[in-house]
Amino acid sequence: MKKIIFFTAVITFLSVGVTLVKAQRNADDKIKKVLYFNPEVEPDIDEIKDPTYNAFFDAVSDNFSGRRNKMLRAEVQLPFDSIDKQTIVDYCSNNDADFAIVSKVRYFKVGIGKYVFSNQVVVSMKLFGADGNLVTESDHDTYRKNMRLLGSTTNSVKIGTEGAIKEIIKKLRKLKPTEAEL
């Protein structure tokens, strides 16, 4: 009788352990990896590129910290208007990414005459699948959508990036409500 109880207990513990490992593996499979490229900066001035990259990726990492997705960063800048499908496929396969985002940050000045109040930005993003097809795109204008007149350029880039990411997520939910969100 003791052997039967011991054997039943061992089988029960093994089956529970296997079930928990399978559940953990399924949770890891749901995590999406998103590859971000350095944004194209307009106007093309070298002095503003590094601060723009830092502010952009700070906003992206802040946005992904609360989600169950993994952000990957590529130190390559792709042209926003002419994106090669094969390049996206190659980068996604080499980095094991599910999605790729190509973005552009365009600066413009807000002011009256010769008085400049602040630099505002338009952040545009295109989301591509791992197969290289365009899934959705969005843009966020910090001046028109937030009505920000005063503020630093770094904050404008962060607000524009967060707004563009939220718009992409909103469009993804409308496109595929059954799929796991980005």
Side-chain angles (χ1 to χ4, degrees):
M1 185 70 174
K2 288 183 181 181
K3 290 183 180 178
I4 295 173
I5 293 175
F6 178 74
F7 182 71
T8 307
V10 169
I11 296 297
T12 305
F13 285 126
L14 285 176
S15 64
V16 167
V18 168
T19 305
L20 290 176
V21 169
K22 285 183 182 178
Q24 185 178 11
R25 190 176 307 134
N26 287 340
D28 289 340
D29 290 342
K30 293 180 182 178
I31 294 176
K32 302 287 185 190
K33 294 179 184 176
V34 182
L35 177 66
Y36 279 85
F37 293 96
N38 280 346
E40 181 181 347
V41 179
E42 185 181 308
D44 190 16
I45 301 172
D46 290 332
E47 288 83 18
I48 63 173
K49 285 186 178 181
D50 284 336
T52 302
Y53 296 159
N54 291 337
F56 179 81
F57 285 109
D58 284 347
V60 169
S61 63
D62 289 347
N63 199 342
F64 272 90
S65 64
R67 301 184 192 283
R68 294 183 349 157
N69 297 320
K70 186 174 180 183
M71 180 198 81
L72 304 170
R73 180 177 178 176
E75 293 288 334
V76 177
Q77 179 179 330
L78 295 180
F80 185 76
D81 296 326
S82 59
I83 300 168
D84 184 28
K85 181 177 178 178
Q86 188 59 40
T87 305
I88 297 291
V89 171
D90 291 342
Y91 273 102
C92 285
S93 66
N94 291 338
N95 292 302
D96 193 28
D98 299 312
F99 297 101
I101 292 188
V102 179
S103 54
K104 179 179 184 177
V105 177
R106 185 174 60 90
Y107 285 93
F108 62 93
K109 297 187 181 300
V110 175
I112 301 171
K114 64 181 180 177
Y115 301 105
V116 175
F117 296 130
S118 67
N119 285 325
Q120 298 297 319
V121 296
V122 176
V123 178
S124 303
M125 291 185 175
K126 291 183 181 179
L127 175 70
F128 293 91
D131 56 356
N133 292 327
L134 179 68
V135 177
T136 186
E137 62 183 305
S138 73
D139 60 345
H140 188 87
D141 186 344
T142 57
Y143 182 65
R144 290 192 179 149
K145 293 191 178 173
N146 293 79
M147 293 306 293
R148 293 183 75 241
L149 188 59
L150 300 175
S152 69
T153 306
T154 304
N155 284 341
S156 293
V157 172
K158 286 183 179 181
I159 290 171
T161 304
E162 290 170 0
I165 290 173
K166 287 178 184 177
E167 188 68 27
I168 282 180
I169 291 171
K170 191 185 301 182
K171 288 181 179 180
L172 275 178
R173 286 183 185 151
K174 288 180 183 178
L175 288 176
K176 298 179 182 178
T178 59
E179 289 253 339
E181 68 181 44
L182 178 69

